[in-house]
Amino acid sequence: MDLSSSKNFQDAMVTVMGLGRFKQGSGVGAAKWLMRHGAQIVITDLKTEAELKESVEEITKWYTLYKKDFPDRSIYSPIFVLGEHHEDDFTNVDLVMQNPGVARESAFVQLAKEQGIPVESDVSLFFRYCPFPIYSVTGTRGKSTTTALLGEMLAKEHVKTVVAGNITRSPLEDLDWILEEKEPVPIVLELSSWLLESLEGLGRGPDIALVTNAYKDHLDRYDSFEHYVWAKELIFKEQTADQVAILNADQQIMDDIATRISSKNVFWFSSTPLPEGKDGAFREGDTLMWKLQGEIKQFGHVHDLMSLQGEHNVMNALSASLAAHLAGISDEHIHQTLKSFIGLPGRQQILGEIEGVLYVNDTTATSPEGVMAALKRFGNGGNILLIAGGSSKGLAFDELAKHIRRECRVVTLFDGTAYEDFSRAIGSGMPVKRVGSMNEAMSVVAAEATLGDVVLLSPGTSSFGIFRNEFDRGDQFLAAVEQIKKKARV
C-alpha cells in the first residue's frame, strides 16, 4: 500500500488488530480515522464482544455519524472479528494496524510481514502525516505526568497544543484538523515502549525526545531488561543530528544510551548539579536551575510544585521544564505552569481524609519503583494500609518488600498471577489479605484503619484480570471512597 498520502486509504482493506477499552485510545482512534478516510476495516481482538461492548458501541456510533457527515465518500461498515483472529485478515488486506497491546512477536503480525503487508500503528501514521513539531516522552515512571506538564507549558504560548499517545488519547483523533492549520501546532506524545517499536525504520524521529528513566518493567513482554531498554531507546533511533535528546543524568545506564544517540544536541536533567560536559536542568536545594551554554541561572523552586510532591515529581518537573525551554517556551510561562499544574488523576492522588484516615489513589503505579515512591512520600513507620497486586509482569518484589515491611501495617493483595511472588517477598511477618475485588479490599481496610492511617492503592503490577485497566481500578477505588464519605456524613 502507498502510505505517502492519507488519501490512499479510500477503499483500502485494513485490519485493525487490538481494539482496546479506551474510547479515545489507539484501537478506537485508529478505527475511527480509517473509517473516516474511507477504508474498509476489519477489527479483530482476542477479547470477546461482551468485554469490548463499550468500544464496539463507540465505533458503531461513529460509523453512523460518518455516513451522514461525509456523503461525498464511501464510508464502509466495520466488520468485527472478536474472541479470535483469522489468518485471512492478515494476508488478504492492504495494511495491518497493530495496536499497543499486541506484541511484535505475534504470529499474525509476523504472518502479515511475511506477506509484505505494511504494519503500522496510530502513532506511526501520525508521524507520517503530521507536518508540525512532535515532542515525545517515554520512560518507566513519570512519563504521563511529564507529558501532561510539558503540554501545559506549551499551551501557555500555543493554545492549540495537542497532548496524546499512551496518555489514553490517540493522536489520530486530532490529525485531520491539524492538517488544516496554517500555523505550527506543537504535539506532545507519551510513547510506551510498544508504540516506539512501531516507529522503527520510519525515517522520522521526534523533534525533542525525552526519556524520564529506565527501571525493570514489562518483563512479561520483553525477555530481558536489556531488551526493554532497547525498546525505550527507539525514541532516539530515527532522530537526525539537529534534533534534541533529553536524558536522566541520575541513572548510569543513560550514559551508555547516550553513546548510541545520533543527535548532537543531548541535554540532561538531574537531582544534583550537573557535572562538567553536561548541560540541562538540575536541582540545587530548593532551587531549580538551568546550566546552558556556559550560563547557570535559576528558573523556579521546589516549593513552587504544590501538586508535584516527592523527589520523583521534582525530576518530572525538571525534565518537562527543560523540554519546554528547548522548545522555545519562556521561563515565565514555565514557572507559572510549575505553580499551577494540578497533576493527573491516579498518580499519588490524594482523595481526602475521612475520620482521620487519608485515602490516596496511585493506581498508575504498575511497577515496584512506583509503589516505593508512594511509600516514601506517605509512610511514617507503619501507618499505611496498602492495596496492591494483580497480574504478573515478571518483576521482582524483594526491594519493594523491604519498604512495605517498614511502612505498612496491613497489605491487601488482589488475586492474580502476581499474588504468590508478591506475598512470598513480603514474608510471614506482615499480615497479607487476599481479595478478589475492590469491594473486598475496601472491607479489609475499613476493618483495620484507625486515626492517622493512610489507605494507599498502589498496585505495583498490571490490572488485567479483576479490572478492565488501571483507570477502571482507580475509578472503583474512588467510588468506594465516596461511599465511605457518605457513611461518615450520616
Side-chain angles (χ1 to χ4, degrees):
M1 179 177 178
D2 179 6
L3 295 172
S4 62
S5 171
S6 60
K7 295 178 181 178
N8 296 333
F9 281 90
Q10 181 65 60
D11 303 324
M13 299 287 296
V14 181
T15 291
V16 178
M17 186 182 191
L19 180 57
R21 291 169 166 177
F22 295 117
K23 286 190 176 181
Q24 290 185 314
S26 291
V28 173
K32 286 169 60 179
W33 188 87
L34 290 163
M35 276 196 300
R36 193 162 63 243
H37 286 264
Q40 305 174 69
I41 62 172
V42 173
I43 300 171
T44 182
D45 197 303
L46 291 178
K47 294 185 179 67
T48 64
E49 186 172 355
E51 292 175 296
L52 295 169
K53 181 175 182 291
E54 291 182 8
S55 295
V56 170
E57 289 175 350
E58 183 77 359
I59 296 294
T60 304
K61 178 190 77 174
W62 281 101
Y63 163 68
T64 303
L65 290 172
Y66 293 152
K67 285 283 286 184
K68 178 182 176 182
D69 292 344
F70 301 106
D72 58 331
R73 69 181 72 162
S74 297
I75 302 293
Y76 296 95
S77 176
I79 297 170
F80 294 93
V81 178
L82 303 178
E84 60 184 342
H85 293 316
H86 297 162
E87 285 192 4
D88 282 355
D89 295 329
F90 297 87
T91 57
N92 296 324
V93 292
D94 299 306
L95 178 76
V96 170
M97 288 287 287
Q98 175 191 353
N99 288 312
V102 178
R104 64 189 283 143
E105 296 83 10
S106 162
F108 293 96
V109 172
Q110 295 305 314
L111 181 61
K113 290 180 177 178
E114 288 168 6
Q115 298 294 316
I117 295 168
V119 177
E120 296 279 329
S121 73
D122 63 327
V123 166
S124 67
L125 284 186
F126 186 84
F127 265 78
R128 285 184 184 278
Y129 303 131
C130 176
F132 301 135
I134 299 177
Y135 310 129
S136 298
V137 179
T138 195
T140 309
R141 293 280 302 151
K143 57 183 177 292
S144 294
T145 297
T146 301
T147 299
L149 182 55
L150 174 57
E152 287 204 16
M153 290 173 175
L154 290 164
K156 289 285 186 185
E157 298 181 18
H158 306 276
V159 294
K160 293 184 177 181
T161 295
V162 170
V163 178
N166 198 58
I167 203 164
T168 74
R169 181 178 178 84
S170 171
L172 292 181
E173 295 279 3
D174 298 289
L175 180 59
D176 288 355
W177 71 259
I178 287 172
L179 294 175
E180 299 295 323
E181 292 294 310
K182 305 302 182 187
E183 297 295 323
V185 175
I187 317 295
V188 187
L189 297 183
E190 178 190 333
L191 299 181
S192 67
S193 53
W194 307 338
L195 285 171
L196 285 168
E197 289 175 6
S198 71
L199 300 183
E200 190 177 13
L202 191 62
R204 180 185 179 184
D207 294 82
I208 296 177
L210 190 164
V211 176
T212 59
N213 46 53
Y215 298 107
K216 288 184 178 179
D217 200 0
H218 296 298
L219 297 185
D220 55 335
R221 173 84 173 246
Y222 297 99
D223 54 20
S224 67
F225 178 55
E226 290 73 20
H227 188 193
Y228 171 66
V229 171
W230 165 84
K232 291 298 186 190
E233 280 187 58
L234 291 174
I235 197 170
F236 304 118
K237 187 171 182 181
E238 304 297 326
Q239 281 193 303
T240 59
D242 60 342
Q243 292 177 318
V244 173
I246 298 176
L247 295 162
N248 184 339
D250 291 358
Q251 288 196 305
Q252 190 173 353
I253 193 172
M254 298 293 170
D255 288 305
D256 183 45
I257 291 173
T259 65
R260 296 187 287 274
I261 292 175
S262 58
S263 169
K264 302 304 180 185
N265 302 306
V266 179
F267 296 88
W268 304 82
F269 60 98
S270 175
S271 60
T272 59
L274 289 165
E276 186 71 27
K278 287 185 177 177
D279 277 7
F282 66 91
R283 173 184 182 175
E284 189 167 43
D286 185 54
T287 308
L288 305 178
M289 308 283 288
W290 300 132
K291 177 175 177 270
L292 297 166
Q293 297 180 326
E295 183 182 3
I296 295 177
K297 67 173 185 176
Q298 72 177 48
F299 66 90
H301 297 89
V302 175
H303 68 250
D304 293 332
L305 312 178
M306 300 303 293
S307 297
L308 291 170
Q309 301 296 306
E311 293 178 12
H312 64 294
N313 272 325
V314 175
M315 293 294 278
N316 293 337
L318 285 166
S319 63
S321 299
L322 179 57
H325 180 83
L326 296 171
I329 302 302
S330 70
D331 286 3
E332 179 185 0
H333 285 144
I334 290 171
H335 189 221
Q336 286 176 3
T337 309
L338 290 175
K339 291 197 294 184
S340 63
F341 184 68
I342 61 173
L344 292 171
R347 292 159 178 82
Q348 297 188 9
Q349 178 188 11
I350 296 174
L351 301 180
E353 191 173 288
I354 307 170
E355 297 181 335
V357 178
L358 186 68
Y359 291 82
V360 179
N361 175 17
D362 193 33
T363 186
T364 60
T366 58
S367 68
E369 286 76 18
V371 185
M372 287 188 280
L375 293 176
K376 187 173 183 179
R377 176 180 176 187
F378 296 102
N380 189 26
N383 65 319
I384 291 181
L385 306 181
L386 178 66
I387 302 173
S391 297
S392 176
K393 296 163 73 178
L395 305 176
F397 300 107
D398 295 335
E399 186 64 27
L400 170 58
K402 296 176 186 176
H403 292 260
I404 288 174
R405 288 192 290 269
R406 182 169 63 245
E407 304 294 355
C408 300
R409 194 171 80 250
V410 175
V411 177
T412 302
L413 294 180
F414 292 116
D415 193 15
T417 53
Y419 176 82
E420 295 298 336
D421 289 342
F422 215 138
S423 60
R424 189 183 306 112
I426 294 170
S428 57
M430 168 79 55
V432 175
K433 313 285 186 178
R434 188 173 191 164
V435 298
S437 68
M438 183 62 73
N439 285 337
E440 282 187 53
M442 296 305 285
S443 295
V444 170
V445 298
E448 298 284 347
T450 60
L451 184 69
D453 282 344
V454 176
V455 174
L456 172 65
L457 171 66
S458 192
T461 62
S462 292
S463 58
F464 306 119
I466 296 174
F467 307 101
R468 289 184 299 167
N469 49 55
E470 65 219 61
F471 301 104
D472 176 46
R473 178 171 56 198
D475 288 345
Q476 289 193 33
F477 181 68
L478 178 60
V481 173
E482 287 300 316
Q483 287 301 313
I484 294 171
K485 283 183 181 178
K486 288 180 181 178
K487 289 180 181 178
R489 294 191 195 107
V490 176

